[in-house]
Amino acid sequence: MKNLQKALRRARPSRVPIQNLEDYHRQIKNMAIYAYRKKRDALTLTIQIELLPKLVDLDLGLLLKEQKERLDGEFLSYLKRKLPGALCQETLFTLYAKFRQYKVKNKILELVPSRPEMEFPEVRRMQRHFILHIGPTNSGKTFRSLERLKTAGKGVYLGPLRLLALEVYEQINAYGVPCTMLTGQECIEEENSRITASTIEMADFDEEYDIAVIDEAQLVADTDRGHSWTKAILGLCAKEIHICMSPAAEPAMIHLIELCGDDYEIERYERKTALLCEDKPFAFPEDVKPGDALIVFSKKSVLDVAGRLEEQGIDASVIYGSLPPEIRRRQMHLFNKGKTRVVVATDAIGMGLNLPVRRIVFLQAEKFDGVGRRLLTVSEVRQIAGRAGRFGIYNCGYVNAMGEEELEFIREHYEAKEQPIEEVNLGFPQLLLDIEGPLDEILKIWHSVTPSAPFVKENIDEALTLYEQAKKCRDQIEGFEDKRILYRMITCPIDIKDRKVVSLWLSYCKNYTADVSLERPRLEYGRRKGIQQYETYYKQLDLYYQFSHRMQKVIEEDWLNEERNRTEMMIMKYLTKGKTDYIARCRYCGKLLPLGAQFQVCDRCFRRK
């Protein structure tokens, strides 16, 4: 008791480390328990009259002025009801943080309807009719829905990729119906346009349509983008909505439609060409044939395989996620026209891309999903393998894999029944931005509130990562305290793994108010960077467009188009002539490494080191 009295008398408010303060709380708590049990009235009186007031004074020293002002009756009532006795065990600093979370959580529960479909009251007053086009890949379900879309007085197509939006844009314009393309990268407007071909994230929920088409709706379960499909199904103002999907998505789609009180009909499709799994495992590169699509799961592996083929005199198109959309289109065009014999691709090929592929060959059966390496799922195998045997070009498609075990794995997964989707992704409701409190706190608390099945919350890790980057420079960012402005910043779609792209994003956050236009990105040249420097620059050009669009800045369209075209030409130049430079070799002896090798050292050199 005497030691504690001395320590508290010496302590000065706002200068005591929180760890020491927490220790004082523990000591006083233990002494109070002892005094109560032993009926030491004098000790109890000293604790009440001397120690506790001093402790409260030190506690208050850790709080900001506005926090102290909020320690009112509501706060004390919360402690009494929810955390009885906590005041004797924890600091006011800790308890106030819990109180804030409690208030924000209650506000979220108050503002966000328990039923997500009720976020769109205007749509609930409509009677929408859904047509579910259910079938595997290569079954004609998207074609059928687009035929109906062409007849719309006002219609919209919503798909997962800019390439698919572009394909629909070209098809509908070729049919003689004016169509506009709208994606996160660009807007191509046609005069008197009746149809908009768009990526799902660009859906307009204020517009009313006669007919809407939502493509690849099984992506509703995707943890990063699925919320865009959920929102489109729940909130799109269209009298007639066509949803194209794999059979696994049927129960989830019906559940969402029934929640909305709308009606639906189902059209089922069968695959138009047979698909066979070959008996003998694929050998690379001996078994490569025209019309093959070789599947790996990283950009590094794509360029490695394409380089090895080039050494054998086999020209290959390449398709991977970080490749600019227009380059992917040109690479597809080369394969479509027969100028390249094979295509080497990641699972990006499974996202509805139409290629004249005869055979899908899995050179790898596992992928890195951002957390760790894992084997492919049934839906992934079926989605990718289904691209083989393009209807109208081949009567049959084939599937193979490299290695006996891999082939057996692919065969089992392709033949297995796809499990129904059990989770539907939900996005962050922006009406919560009006709640008092830091944006990251609101995001985290919203994410912690478990919704009713089958809904799950979207992944907010990238947004929080960008928030932390911005928070370090909060004094230099005008509008940091405005949560709506800040939210537009941190949800700007960028590659957070590319340091230079993040650096440019942070610069835009700091300087977006300096002029009517953002500063143009600059290409950083480097001898050894090769294709990477141009891919990064292309991402920076996309960021320039996206950030300008979000913050209502003037976009220098002519310069942007010119830079994109020039960068695309440089990337195409590398892909056309320089793929042998990306063959995986041992960094010490130069020996060719096995396909898919995770390390840049051969076994022999590794043992030597």
Side-chain angles (χ1 to χ4, degrees):
M1 166 72 86
K2 289 178 180 177
N3 289 337
L4 186 58
Q5 283 176 313
K6 288 178 184 178
L8 290 176
R9 285 169 188 159
R10 286 196 302 266
R12 294 291 176 266
S14 76
R15 296 182 184 178
V16 182
I18 191 168
Q19 295 88 347
N20 292 6
L21 204 50
E22 287 171 348
D23 189 50
Y24 295 156
H25 273 268
R26 281 191 292 271
Q27 289 185 52
I28 291 177
K29 172 197 165 188
N30 292 337
M31 276 191 287
I33 292 171
Y34 173 82
Y36 174 78
R37 287 178 178 171
K38 298 293 183 179
K39 298 181 180 179
R40 300 284 295 272
D41 296 337
L43 186 56
T44 302
L45 194 63
T46 304
I47 291 171
Q48 290 176 343
I49 294 174
E50 183 181 345
L51 300 189
L52 282 179
K54 181 63 177 177
L55 189 63
V56 169
D57 192 40
L58 295 176
D59 269 4
L60 290 170
L62 285 178
L63 300 179
L64 300 173
K65 182 182 177 182
E66 58 267 26
Q67 292 174 324
K68 292 177 187 177
E69 290 171 354
R70 291 177 185 139
L71 298 184
D72 52 13
E74 186 183 1
F75 172 67
L76 295 174
S77 175
Y78 160 77
L79 292 182
K80 189 175 181 180
R81 285 183 292 107
K82 299 290 184 180
L83 300 171
L87 194 58
C88 300
Q89 303 174 53
E90 299 179 61
T91 67
L92 286 174
F93 183 81
T94 305
L95 294 174
Y96 179 76
K98 292 181 179 179
F99 175 61
R100 283 281 313 128
Q101 290 190 1
Y102 168 78
K103 284 194 71 174
V104 171
K105 188 172 182 177
N106 276 2
K107 194 67 178 174
I108 287 172
L109 293 173
E110 177 188 322
L111 290 176
V112 179
S114 57
R115 295 171 56 192
E117 72 277 11
M118 299 313 293
E119 289 184 35
F120 305 95
E122 302 85 1
V123 180
R124 297 292 74 82
R125 289 192 285 270
M126 293 178 66
Q127 184 59 45
R128 301 180 301 171
H129 180 63
F130 286 82
I131 298 92
L132 307 184
H133 300 268
I134 303 173
T137 54
N138 239 326
S139 59
K141 53 187 184 293
T142 303
F143 173 81
R144 180 78 175 272
S145 63
L146 291 178
E147 287 296 299
R148 177 64 180 150
L149 181 62
K150 291 173 185 176
T151 67
K154 189 171 185 61
V156 64
Y157 166 86
L158 300 171
L161 296 175
R162 184 260 186 193
L163 283 177
L164 291 177
L166 179 61
E167 192 175 296
V168 171
Y169 162 79
E170 291 175 341
Q171 280 184 28
I172 293 181
N173 276 308
Y175 186 77
V177 177
C179 178
T180 288
M181 187 180 85
L182 177 65
T183 71
Q185 286 101 0
E186 64 197 310
C187 177
I188 306 174
E189 291 190 69
E190 296 293 331
E191 195 175 346
N192 301 319
S193 174
R194 288 166 36 197
I195 310 292
T196 301
S198 176
T199 44
I200 190 84
E201 285 82 3
M202 302 301 289
D204 187 340
F205 295 93
D206 296 321
E207 196 68 68
E208 289 191 19
Y209 302 101
D210 300 314
I211 299 173
V213 173
I214 302 173
D215 206 0
E216 302 290 346
Q218 67 276 0
L219 290 171
V220 74
D222 185 85
T223 55
D224 294 312
R225 300 180 64 203
H227 60 93
S228 297
W229 276 267
T230 305
K231 188 175 180 181
I233 293 160
L234 297 180
L236 207 60
C237 292
K239 300 168 187 173
E240 180 178 314
I241 302 177
H242 296 254
I243 304 181
C244 306
M245 65 186 128
S246 70
E250 181 179 342
M253 291 302 110
I254 290 175
H255 180 76
L256 291 179
I257 294 166
E258 288 179 342
L259 281 179
C260 296
D262 297 317
D263 56 54
Y264 66 92
E265 61 182 277
I266 295 176
E267 293 188 13
R268 301 190 186 278
Y269 297 76
E270 296 296 329
R271 187 179 165 85
K272 291 181 177 291
T273 56
L275 186 62
L276 302 176
C277 198
E278 296 181 328
D279 297 323
K280 183 182 175 183
F282 179 85
F284 181 87
E286 299 87 345
D287 291 344
V288 174
K289 296 177 182 176
D292 282 350
L294 310 181
I295 307 301
V296 289
F297 295 97
S298 71
K299 167 192 166 180
K300 178 182 171 184
S301 296
V302 167
L303 295 175
D304 177 20
V305 171
R308 296 178 196 228
L309 291 173
E310 194 175 282
E311 276 198 334
Q312 300 291 322
I314 301 172
D315 291 329
S317 289
V318 298
I319 297 174
Y320 52 86
S322 61
L323 205 60
E326 186 57 35
I327 299 301
R328 273 189 260 177
R329 187 182 181 223
R330 293 187 195 182
Q331 290 289 310
M332 289 166 59
H333 182 76
L334 291 174
F335 184 66
N336 288 336
K337 296 296 181 183
K339 293 182 179 179
T340 55
R341 295 165 56 188
V342 299
V343 59
V344 186
T346 63
D347 47 355
I349 198 175
M351 200 86 75
L353 298 181
N354 294 314
L355 290 167
V357 173
R358 176 182 172 272
R359 177 173 63 169
I360 290 285
V361 180
F362 290 86
L363 298 185
Q364 298 171 349
E366 60 177 25
K367 63 182 287 189
F368 180 77
D369 61 2
V371 178
R373 297 191 68 81
R374 63 165 177 80
L375 291 168
L376 300 175
T377 64
V378 170
S379 61
E380 287 169 339
V381 170
R382 290 175 69 92
Q383 192 74 17
I384 296 168
R387 295 297 155 196
R390 174 83 177 272
F391 177 66
I393 299 176
Y394 300 107
N395 295 322
C396 184
Y398 298 89
V399 183
N400 207 330
M402 194 168 70
E404 288 279 1
E405 290 184 10
E406 287 77 7
L407 178 57
E408 187 58 34
F409 173 84
I410 294 299
R411 180 183 287 110
E412 286 177 3
H413 277 60
Y414 183 74
E415 293 174 354
K417 186 177 180 181
E418 203 172 348
Q419 293 300 308
I421 289 171
E422 296 180 349
E423 294 181 341
V424 174
N425 208 257
L426 270 183
F428 176 76
Q430 293 190 37
L431 58 87
L432 299 184
L433 297 175
D434 295 326
I435 294 177
E436 186 181 343
L439 179 55
D440 62 330
E441 182 182 82
I442 293 169
L443 283 167
K444 289 173 184 175
I445 295 173
W446 167 79
H447 198 268
S448 71
V449 178
T450 304
S452 58
F455 297 105
V456 293
K457 301 289 181 65
E458 69 168 306
N459 188 339
I460 58 171
D461 291 345
E462 288 195 4
L464 290 175
T465 298
L466 292 179
Y467 176 88
E468 289 303 318
Q469 291 282 340
K471 187 178 179 181
K472 294 173 186 175
C473 312
R474 61 186 301 163
D475 294 337
Q476 303 172 53
I477 298 175
E478 188 173 332
F480 185 89
E481 302 304 327
D482 186 324
K483 287 191 287 292
R484 291 193 175 273
I485 291 176
L486 185 58
Y487 184 76
R488 288 204 297 271
M489 290 177 177
I490 68 171
T491 55
C492 192
I494 67 170
D495 181 359
I496 65 168
K497 296 186 289 295
D498 194 316
R499 181 176 53 81
K500 290 183 178 177
V501 175
V502 174
S503 177
L504 180 64
W505 171 84
L506 195 55
S507 173
Y508 283 163
C509 291
K510 295 176 185 176
N511 303 311
Y512 76 97
T513 57
D515 202 346
V516 293
S517 296
L518 297 178
E519 185 178 351
R520 298 173 178 180
R522 292 187 180 90
L523 175 61
E524 294 184 18
Y525 293 96
R527 283 185 179 180
R528 298 183 181 179
K529 294 178 183 176
I531 196 172
Q532 180 66 51
Q533 64 189 345
Y534 291 102
E535 289 182 356
T536 292
Y537 183 53
Y538 201 92
K539 293 174 193 174
Q540 291 178 323
L541 294 173
D542 278 347
L543 170 59
Y544 167 82
Y545 178 87
Q546 286 270 7
F547 205 95
S548 297
H549 181 72
R550 284 170 176 253
M551 310 310 288
Q552 289 86 48
K553 311 305 288 183
V554 175
I555 299 172
E556 298 181 58
E557 298 275 2
D558 293 340
W559 170 83
L560 180 60
N561 292 334
E562 186 179 317
E563 282 300 290
R564 277 179 169 163
N565 291 335
R566 192 169 67 85
T567 308
E568 288 162 1
M569 286 174 61
M570 291 304 300
I571 294 174
M572 277 297 290
K573 181 180 176 182
Y574 275 97
L575 294 179
T576 304
K577 297 182 179 179
K579 291 191 282 289
T580 54
D581 295 336
Y582 298 96
I583 296 174
R585 301 183 188 277
C586 176
R587 61 188 298 185
Y588 297 112
C589 69
K591 179 183 175 183
L592 195 68
L593 295 174
L595 280 177
Q598 294 185 39
F599 305 103
Q600 295 180 325
V601 183
C602 67
D603 291 341
R604 183 182 174 192
C605 291
F606 178 76
R607 285 193 294 270
R608 281 182 179 177
K609 295 290 177 183

